[in-house]
Amino acid sequence: MKRLLLIALLLGSIGRAQAHKASDSFLRVTVDAERIAIRWDIALRDLDFAIGLDGDADGAITWGEVLAEEAAIAAYAEGRLKIAGDTRRCALAANPGLAIAEHSDGRYVVLSLDGLCPTAATRFSIDYALLFDIDAQHRGLLNLAFGGSVQTGVFAPDRRQQTFESGRPSGIFRTYFLEGAWHVWKGADHMLFLAGLFLPAVLRRKKGGWEPATSLGTALRDTAALVTAFTLAHALTLALAASGAFSPPSRVVESLVAASVLFAGLNNLLPMVQRRLWLLAGFFGLIHGAAIAGALLELGLPVQGRVTALLAFNIGVELAQLALVAVVVPLCFAGRHSAGFRNAVLVPGTLIVALAGLAWLLQRALGLPITLPF
Protein backbone atom coordinates (compact mmCIF):
# COMPACT_ATOMS: atom_id res chain seq x y z
CA MET A 1 0.00 0.00 0.00
CA LYS A 2 2.80 2.38 0.91
CA ARG A 3 4.51 1.62 -2.38
CA LEU A 4 1.35 2.32 -4.37
CA LEU A 5 0.85 5.62 -2.54
CA LEU A 6 4.43 6.59 -3.27
CA ILE A 7 4.09 5.81 -6.97
CA ALA A 8 0.75 7.60 -7.26
CA LEU A 9 2.07 10.78 -5.66
CA LEU A 10 5.19 10.99 -7.76
CA LEU A 11 3.47 10.15 -11.01
CA GLY A 12 0.69 12.53 -10.07
CA SER A 13 3.18 15.38 -9.70
CA ILE A 14 4.38 14.64 -13.21
CA GLY A 15 0.89 13.98 -14.51
CA ARG A 16 -0.21 17.45 -13.47
CA ALA A 17 2.45 18.79 -15.79
CA GLN A 18 1.02 16.69 -18.60
CA ALA A 19 -2.34 18.39 -18.56
CA HIS A 20 -3.56 20.75 -21.29
CA LYS A 21 -1.09 23.60 -21.51
CA ALA A 22 -2.24 26.72 -19.70
CA SER A 23 -3.19 29.64 -21.95
CA ASP A 24 -3.17 33.40 -21.56
CA SER A 25 -4.97 36.29 -23.20
CA PHE A 26 -3.72 39.87 -23.07
CA LEU A 27 -6.30 42.56 -22.27
CA ARG A 28 -5.28 46.20 -22.54
CA VAL A 29 -7.88 48.70 -21.37
CA THR A 30 -7.41 52.47 -21.69
CA VAL A 31 -9.93 54.80 -20.02
CA ASP A 32 -10.42 58.43 -21.13
CA ALA A 33 -13.28 60.03 -19.18
CA GLU A 34 -16.42 58.08 -20.22
CA ARG A 35 -14.73 56.33 -23.15
CA ILE A 36 -12.89 53.02 -23.06
CA ALA A 37 -10.57 51.61 -25.72
CA ILE A 38 -9.76 47.90 -25.52
CA ARG A 39 -7.21 45.74 -27.29
CA TRP A 40 -7.69 42.04 -26.62
CA ASP A 41 -5.14 39.48 -27.85
CA ILE A 42 -6.55 35.93 -27.79
CA ALA A 43 -4.55 32.89 -28.90
CA LEU A 44 -5.62 31.30 -32.18
CA ARG A 45 -5.31 27.85 -30.64
CA ASP A 46 -7.69 28.84 -27.83
CA LEU A 47 -10.29 30.27 -30.21
CA ASP A 48 -10.04 27.15 -32.34
CA PHE A 49 -10.60 25.06 -29.23
CA ALA A 50 -13.59 27.18 -28.15
CA ILE A 51 -15.48 27.92 -31.38
CA GLY A 52 -13.58 26.10 -34.16
CA LEU A 53 -11.53 28.10 -36.66
CA ASP A 54 -9.98 25.30 -38.70
CA GLY A 55 -12.80 24.94 -41.19
CA ASP A 56 -11.20 22.25 -43.36
CA ALA A 57 -9.71 20.38 -40.35
CA ASP A 58 -6.25 20.25 -41.94
CA GLY A 59 -4.48 21.26 -38.73
CA ALA A 60 -3.51 24.73 -40.03
CA ILE A 61 -5.50 27.92 -39.37
CA THR A 62 -5.36 30.33 -42.30
CA TRP A 63 -6.11 34.05 -42.37
CA GLY A 64 -9.14 33.31 -44.54
CA GLU A 65 -10.50 30.93 -41.91
CA VAL A 66 -10.01 33.57 -39.20
CA LEU A 67 -11.85 36.22 -41.24
CA ALA A 68 -14.69 33.80 -41.97
CA GLU A 69 -15.29 33.52 -38.21
CA GLU A 70 -14.88 37.23 -37.39
CA ALA A 71 -18.48 37.64 -36.22
CA ALA A 72 -18.29 34.49 -34.10
CA ILE A 73 -14.99 35.61 -32.54
CA ALA A 74 -16.41 39.03 -31.65
CA ALA A 75 -19.61 37.55 -30.20
CA TYR A 76 -17.69 34.97 -28.18
CA ALA A 77 -15.35 37.58 -26.67
CA GLU A 78 -18.01 40.27 -26.06
CA GLY A 79 -20.15 37.84 -24.11
CA ARG A 80 -17.30 37.10 -21.72
CA LEU A 81 -16.22 40.60 -20.71
CA LYS A 82 -18.19 43.07 -18.60
CA ILE A 83 -16.95 46.45 -17.34
CA ALA A 84 -18.70 48.75 -14.88
CA GLY A 85 -17.67 52.27 -13.90
CA ASP A 86 -18.67 53.21 -10.35
CA THR A 87 -21.06 50.20 -10.39
CA ARG A 88 -22.80 51.37 -13.61
CA ARG A 89 -22.48 49.07 -16.61
CA CYS A 90 -20.42 50.30 -19.57
CA ALA A 91 -21.57 49.43 -23.10
CA LEU A 92 -18.95 47.47 -25.10
CA ALA A 93 -18.91 46.76 -28.83
CA ALA A 94 -16.33 45.12 -31.07
CA ASN A 95 -14.92 47.16 -33.95
CA PRO A 96 -14.86 45.63 -37.44
CA GLY A 97 -11.53 44.24 -38.58
CA LEU A 98 -9.13 41.80 -36.98
CA ALA A 99 -5.34 41.62 -36.83
CA ILE A 100 -2.77 38.98 -35.96
CA ALA A 101 -0.02 39.46 -33.33
CA GLU A 102 2.94 37.26 -32.45
CA HIS A 103 3.54 36.44 -28.81
CA SER A 104 6.22 34.21 -27.31
CA ASP A 105 3.97 31.15 -27.53
CA GLY A 106 2.40 31.65 -30.95
CA ARG A 107 -0.11 33.70 -32.93
CA TYR A 108 -2.97 35.66 -31.43
CA VAL A 109 -6.06 37.33 -32.88
CA VAL A 110 -6.18 41.03 -32.01
CA LEU A 111 -9.71 42.19 -31.29
CA SER A 112 -10.51 45.88 -30.84
CA LEU A 113 -13.46 47.04 -28.75
CA ASP A 114 -14.83 50.45 -27.79
CA GLY A 115 -16.76 51.17 -24.63
CA LEU A 116 -18.89 53.98 -23.30
CA CYS A 117 -19.70 54.46 -19.61
CA PRO A 118 -22.61 56.55 -18.29
CA THR A 119 -20.21 58.94 -16.53
CA ALA A 120 -16.49 59.36 -15.91
CA ALA A 121 -15.63 56.95 -13.10
CA THR A 122 -12.93 56.62 -10.45
CA ARG A 123 -13.53 52.90 -9.85
CA PHE A 124 -13.85 50.15 -12.42
CA SER A 125 -15.09 46.63 -11.93
CA ILE A 126 -14.07 44.12 -14.61
CA ASP A 127 -15.74 40.73 -14.96
CA TYR A 128 -13.72 38.36 -17.16
CA ALA A 129 -14.96 34.89 -18.13
CA LEU A 130 -13.08 33.93 -21.31
CA LEU A 131 -12.41 30.18 -21.67
CA PHE A 132 -12.92 29.40 -17.99
CA ASP A 133 -15.78 27.03 -18.81
CA ILE A 134 -13.50 24.85 -20.95
CA ASP A 135 -10.00 25.52 -19.58
CA ALA A 136 -9.58 26.00 -15.83
CA GLN A 137 -5.89 26.84 -16.36
CA HIS A 138 -6.59 29.89 -18.55
CA ARG A 139 -5.43 33.29 -17.31
CA GLY A 140 -6.46 36.77 -18.44
CA LEU A 141 -3.61 39.25 -18.14
CA LEU A 142 -4.86 42.81 -17.69
CA ASN A 143 -3.13 46.12 -18.30
CA LEU A 144 -5.44 48.97 -17.25
CA ALA A 145 -4.57 52.63 -17.84
CA PHE A 146 -6.79 55.22 -16.15
CA GLY A 147 -6.58 58.07 -13.68
CA GLY A 148 -2.99 58.82 -14.62
CA SER A 149 -1.65 55.38 -13.65
CA VAL A 150 -1.25 51.90 -15.09
CA GLN A 151 -2.47 48.92 -13.09
CA THR A 152 -2.23 45.21 -13.80
CA GLY A 153 -4.23 42.19 -12.81
CA VAL A 154 -4.58 38.48 -13.48
CA PHE A 155 -8.00 36.89 -13.97
CA ALA A 156 -8.49 33.26 -13.01
CA PRO A 157 -11.52 31.02 -12.35
CA ASP A 158 -11.46 32.05 -8.68
CA ARG A 159 -10.67 35.69 -9.54
CA ARG A 160 -13.11 36.47 -12.34
CA GLN A 161 -14.21 39.84 -11.03
CA GLN A 162 -11.77 42.49 -9.85
CA THR A 163 -12.12 46.14 -8.92
CA PHE A 164 -9.58 48.89 -9.60
CA GLU A 165 -9.53 52.40 -8.15
CA SER A 166 -7.86 55.45 -9.65
CA GLY A 167 -4.35 55.92 -8.28
CA ARG A 168 -4.54 52.81 -6.10
CA PRO A 169 -2.84 49.70 -7.50
CA SER A 170 -5.01 46.75 -6.49
CA GLY A 171 -3.62 43.73 -4.65
CA ILE A 172 -0.17 43.69 -6.28
CA PHE A 173 1.45 41.33 -3.78
CA ARG A 174 -1.40 38.81 -3.75
CA THR A 175 -1.77 38.84 -7.55
CA TYR A 176 1.88 38.19 -8.30
CA PHE A 177 2.36 35.79 -5.39
CA LEU A 178 -0.42 33.58 -6.74
CA GLU A 179 1.00 33.80 -10.26
CA GLY A 180 4.43 32.75 -8.99
CA ALA A 181 2.95 29.66 -7.35
CA TRP A 182 0.83 28.98 -10.43
CA HIS A 183 3.94 29.27 -12.64
CA VAL A 184 5.40 26.25 -10.87
CA TRP A 185 2.24 24.16 -11.13
CA LYS A 186 1.23 24.95 -14.70
CA GLY A 187 4.63 24.75 -16.44
CA ALA A 188 5.31 21.26 -17.76
CA ASP A 189 9.00 21.96 -18.33
CA HIS A 190 9.35 23.53 -14.87
CA MET A 191 7.61 20.59 -13.20
CA LEU A 192 9.66 17.99 -15.05
CA PHE A 193 12.88 19.82 -14.24
CA LEU A 194 11.90 19.75 -10.57
CA ALA A 195 11.04 16.06 -10.90
CA GLY A 196 14.58 15.51 -12.17
CA LEU A 197 15.83 17.05 -8.92
CA PHE A 198 13.36 15.34 -6.58
CA LEU A 199 13.39 11.76 -7.85
CA PRO A 200 16.99 10.98 -6.79
CA ALA A 201 16.81 13.06 -3.60
CA VAL A 202 17.02 9.96 -1.43
CA LEU A 203 18.72 7.54 -3.81
CA ARG A 204 21.77 8.35 -5.92
CA ARG A 205 23.43 6.42 -8.68
CA LYS A 206 26.95 5.28 -7.73
CA LYS A 207 29.43 2.86 -9.26
CA GLY A 208 28.10 -0.61 -8.75
CA GLY A 209 24.53 0.38 -7.87
CA TRP A 210 22.34 2.81 -5.97
CA GLU A 211 23.21 4.48 -2.68
CA PRO A 212 20.28 5.37 -0.39
CA ALA A 213 20.34 8.50 1.77
CA THR A 214 20.90 7.83 5.45
CA SER A 215 19.12 10.89 6.87
CA LEU A 216 15.78 12.45 5.99
CA GLY A 217 16.98 15.78 7.33
CA THR A 218 19.99 15.75 5.01
CA ALA A 219 17.82 14.83 2.03
CA LEU A 220 15.37 17.64 2.80
CA ARG A 221 18.16 20.17 3.35
CA ASP A 222 20.02 19.26 0.16
CA THR A 223 16.86 19.35 -1.98
CA ALA A 224 15.70 22.64 -0.45
CA ALA A 225 19.15 24.13 -1.20
CA LEU A 226 18.77 23.10 -4.85
CA VAL A 227 15.38 24.70 -5.30
CA THR A 228 16.38 27.85 -3.42
CA ALA A 229 19.47 28.29 -5.61
CA PHE A 230 17.19 27.79 -8.61
CA THR A 231 14.74 30.45 -7.34
CA LEU A 232 17.44 33.04 -6.58
CA ALA A 233 18.91 32.69 -10.07
CA HIS A 234 15.40 32.73 -11.52
CA ALA A 235 14.75 36.01 -9.67
CA LEU A 236 17.98 37.56 -10.97
CA THR A 237 17.16 37.10 -14.66
CA LEU A 238 13.58 38.26 -14.07
CA ALA A 239 14.84 41.46 -12.45
CA LEU A 240 17.35 42.08 -15.26
CA ALA A 241 14.67 41.56 -17.91
CA ALA A 242 12.24 43.83 -16.08
CA SER A 243 14.87 46.58 -15.99
CA GLY A 244 15.43 46.24 -19.73
CA ALA A 245 19.03 45.11 -19.26
CA PHE A 246 18.64 42.22 -21.68
CA SER A 247 16.12 40.53 -23.94
CA PRO A 248 17.38 37.16 -25.20
CA PRO A 249 15.80 35.50 -28.27
CA SER A 250 12.88 33.36 -27.10
CA ARG A 251 13.80 30.41 -29.36
CA VAL A 252 17.29 30.19 -27.86
CA VAL A 253 15.99 30.46 -24.29
CA GLU A 254 13.24 27.88 -24.80
CA SER A 255 15.75 25.49 -26.36
CA LEU A 256 18.05 25.90 -23.35
CA VAL A 257 15.13 25.21 -21.00
CA ALA A 258 14.52 21.96 -22.88
CA ALA A 259 18.22 21.11 -22.62
CA SER A 260 18.09 21.66 -18.84
CA VAL A 261 15.22 19.17 -18.53
CA LEU A 262 17.14 16.64 -20.64
CA PHE A 263 20.28 17.08 -18.56
CA ALA A 264 18.36 16.77 -15.26
CA GLY A 265 17.04 13.40 -16.41
CA LEU A 266 20.30 12.04 -17.82
CA ASN A 267 22.28 13.15 -14.78
CA ASN A 268 20.21 10.81 -12.61
CA LEU A 269 20.90 7.72 -14.72
CA LEU A 270 24.41 8.60 -15.93
CA PRO A 271 25.86 10.93 -13.28
CA MET A 272 27.90 13.71 -14.87
CA VAL A 273 27.70 16.28 -12.06
CA GLN A 274 27.49 14.96 -8.50
CA ARG A 275 29.10 17.68 -6.38
CA ARG A 276 27.85 21.23 -5.76
CA LEU A 277 24.58 20.51 -7.49
CA TRP A 278 23.22 23.79 -6.17
CA LEU A 279 25.53 25.59 -8.62
CA LEU A 280 24.04 23.58 -11.47
CA ALA A 281 20.52 24.34 -10.25
CA GLY A 282 21.41 28.03 -10.09
CA PHE A 283 22.75 28.01 -13.65
CA PHE A 284 19.56 26.41 -14.93
CA GLY A 285 17.55 28.88 -12.84
CA LEU A 286 19.05 31.72 -14.87
CA ILE A 287 17.73 30.08 -18.03
CA HIS A 288 14.24 29.36 -16.67
CA GLY A 289 14.00 32.94 -15.37
CA ALA A 290 14.78 34.30 -18.82
CA ALA A 291 12.06 32.06 -20.27
CA ILE A 292 9.31 33.34 -17.96
CA ALA A 293 10.44 36.98 -18.25
CA GLY A 294 8.76 37.43 -21.64
CA ALA A 295 5.32 36.41 -20.40
CA LEU A 296 5.66 38.42 -17.20
CA LEU A 297 6.65 41.56 -19.12
CA GLU A 298 3.79 41.04 -21.56
CA LEU A 299 1.48 41.15 -18.56
CA GLY A 300 2.92 44.57 -17.81
CA LEU A 301 4.58 45.00 -14.45
CA PRO A 302 3.10 47.94 -12.55
CA VAL A 303 5.16 51.13 -12.58
CA GLN A 304 4.27 51.69 -8.93
CA GLY A 305 5.04 48.54 -7.00
CA ARG A 306 7.28 46.83 -9.56
CA VAL A 307 9.72 45.68 -6.87
CA THR A 308 6.80 44.34 -4.81
CA ALA A 309 5.45 42.47 -7.84
CA LEU A 310 8.78 40.80 -8.63
CA LEU A 311 9.37 39.93 -4.97
CA ALA A 312 5.89 38.45 -4.61
CA PHE A 313 6.23 36.41 -7.81
CA ASN A 314 9.50 34.84 -6.70
CA ILE A 315 8.23 34.17 -3.17
CA GLY A 316 5.31 32.34 -4.77
CA VAL A 317 7.72 30.26 -6.88
CA GLU A 318 9.88 29.41 -3.88
CA LEU A 319 7.07 28.45 -1.52
CA ALA A 320 5.39 26.28 -4.16
CA GLN A 321 8.67 24.45 -4.74
CA LEU A 322 9.38 24.01 -1.02
CA ALA A 323 5.85 22.65 -0.55
CA LEU A 324 6.66 19.97 -3.12
CA VAL A 325 9.92 19.19 -1.30
CA ALA A 326 8.08 18.84 2.02
CA VAL A 327 5.61 16.34 0.56
CA VAL A 328 7.59 14.34 -2.00
CA VAL A 329 10.99 13.87 -0.32
CA PRO A 330 9.71 12.22 2.91
CA LEU A 331 7.64 9.74 0.88
CA CYS A 332 10.63 8.95 -1.32
CA PHE A 333 12.74 8.51 1.79
CA ALA A 334 10.26 5.98 3.17
CA GLY A 335 10.62 3.82 0.06
CA ARG A 336 14.29 4.32 -0.69
CA HIS A 337 15.32 0.73 0.11
CA SER A 338 12.56 -0.78 -2.00
CA ALA A 339 13.35 -2.31 -5.39
CA GLY A 340 9.82 -1.26 -6.38
CA PHE A 341 10.72 2.39 -5.81
CA ARG A 342 13.76 2.11 -8.07
CA ASN A 343 12.08 0.07 -10.79
CA ALA A 344 8.58 1.54 -10.80
CA VAL A 345 9.19 5.18 -9.82
CA LEU A 346 12.78 6.38 -10.01
CA VAL A 347 13.95 4.91 -13.31
CA PRO A 348 10.69 5.33 -15.29
CA GLY A 349 10.22 8.85 -13.90
CA THR A 350 13.76 9.80 -14.83
CA LEU A 351 13.28 8.40 -18.34
CA ILE A 352 10.11 10.49 -18.75
CA VAL A 353 12.05 13.61 -17.75
CA ALA A 354 14.92 12.88 -20.15
CA LEU A 355 12.72 11.92 -23.11
CA ALA A 356 10.49 14.97 -22.66
CA GLY A 357 13.56 17.21 -22.54
CA LEU A 358 14.93 15.61 -25.72
CA ALA A 359 11.61 15.97 -27.54
CA TRP A 360 11.30 19.63 -26.54
CA LEU A 361 14.88 20.31 -27.60
CA LEU A 362 14.30 18.83 -31.07
CA GLN A 363 11.01 20.67 -31.34
CA ARG A 364 12.27 24.08 -30.23
CA ALA A 365 15.81 24.13 -31.61
CA LEU A 366 15.21 22.36 -34.94
CA GLY A 367 11.52 23.02 -35.45
CA LEU A 368 10.65 19.33 -35.75
CA PRO A 369 6.87 18.69 -35.58
CA ILE A 370 6.94 16.70 -32.34
CA THR A 371 3.73 16.77 -30.29
CA LEU A 372 3.74 15.91 -26.60
CA PRO A 373 0.64 15.29 -24.47
CA PHE A 374 1.65 18.11 -22.08
Side-chain angles (χ1 to χ4, degrees):
M1 186 68 180
K2 183 187 292 185
R3 184 180 303 172
L4 291 176
L5 177 62
L6 197 64
I7 293 171
L9 181 70
L10 286 172
L11 294 183
S13 69
I14 296 173
R16 184 181 294 268
Q18 296 171 339
H20 172 65
K21 182 182 177 184
S23 66
D24 301 319
S25 84
F26 301 91
L27 183 66
R28 293 186 178 272
V29 180
T30 303
V31 179
D32 182 9
E34 301 93 9
R35 298 188 177 277
I36 302 174
I38 299 171
R39 169 178 166 158
W40 200 352
D41 293 16
I42 307 172
L44 279 174
R45 64 176 181 275
D46 289 336
L47 287 171
D48 185 41
F49 187 52
I51 61 175
L53 299 182
D54 188 6
D56 56 10
D58 65 349
I61 301 172
T62 66
W63 178 237
E65 289 172 330
V66 173
L67 290 180
E69 299 296 332
E70 180 175 351
I73 292 170
Y76 180 75
E78 282 184 64
R80 286 158 177 79
L81 180 67
K82 299 175 183 177
I83 299 179
D86 290 338
T87 73
R88 301 180 66 183
R89 181 82 172 269
C90 304
L92 303 179
N95 295 319
L98 299 173
I100 297 292
E102 290 282 350
H103 288 270
S104 59
D105 59 344
R107 293 183 176 180
Y108 283 61
V109 167
V110 179
L111 183 66
S112 172
L113 301 94
D114 284 332
L116 185 63
C117 297
T119 59
T122 59
R123 173 185 293 186
F124 282 90
S125 175
I126 301 179
D127 191 325
Y128 177 105
L130 187 75
L131 291 167
F132 290 152
D133 55 336
I134 56 176
D135 184 359
Q137 297 190 67
H138 177 74
R139 293 294 183 266
L141 309 182
L142 171 70
N143 184 293
L144 171 64
F146 86 108
S149 66
V150 176
Q151 300 184 40
T152 59
V154 181
F155 295 99
D158 61 341
R159 286 174 280 143
R160 298 182 179 214
Q161 187 176 59
Q162 297 182 42
T163 300
F164 303 86
E165 295 186 33
S166 177
R168 291 183 59 188
S170 177
I172 290 177
F173 188 92
R174 178 178 182 272
T175 294
Y176 284 87
F177 173 83
L178 292 175
E179 285 311 301
W182 182 247
H183 167 60
V184 174
W185 285 101
K186 79 173 182 178
D189 44 16
H190 194 131
M191 285 291 287
L192 287 179
F193 178 76
L194 290 177
L197 298 179
F198 289 168
L199 284 172
V202 298
L203 195 65
R204 295 189 181 280
R205 186 73 174 176
K206 299 290 185 180
K207 289 183 179 180
W210 296 89
E211 180 180 285
T214 58
S215 166
L216 175 59
T218 299
L220 285 169
R221 185 190 64 234
D222 291 348
T223 310
L226 291 178
V227 299
T228 299
F230 179 87
T231 302
L232 290 174
H234 190 276
L236 176 60
T237 45
L238 273 177
L240 289 173
S243 69
F246 83 119
S247 180
S250 62
R251 183 172 181 176
V252 173
V253 172
E254 292 296 337
S255 297
L256 289 173
V257 167
S260 76
V261 176
L262 173 60
F263 186 89
L266 291 178
N267 196 50
N268 294 340
L269 296 176
L270 305 169
M272 294 167 277
V273 178
Q274 299 186 60
R275 300 179 62 187
R276 296 183 179 178
L277 289 176
W278 62 272
L279 288 175
L280 183 66
F283 172 73
F284 287 139
L286 294 173
I287 297 170
H288 283 249
I292 192 59
L296 196 61
L297 292 178
E298 282 179 330
L299 166 58
L301 288 168
V303 176
Q304 296 178 341
R306 176 165 293 196
V307 173
T308 299
L310 286 171
L311 179 63
F313 184 86
N314 285 292
I315 290 174
V317 168
E318 176 70 354
L319 291 183
Q321 293 177 155
L322 290 177
L324 285 173
V325 171
V327 173
V328 175
V329 172
L331 286 172
C332 291
F333 186 83
R336 70 194 185 283
H337 291 296
S338 167
F341 175 76
R342 294 193 299 272
N343 299 330
V345 178
L346 180 60
V347 174
T350 296
L351 286 174
I352 289 173
V353 172
L355 290 174
L358 176 61
W360 277 323
L361 183 59
L362 294 175
Q363 180 191 73
R364 298 171 184 180
L366 303 180
L368 298 182
I370 299 174
T371 301
L372 295 175
F374 43 87

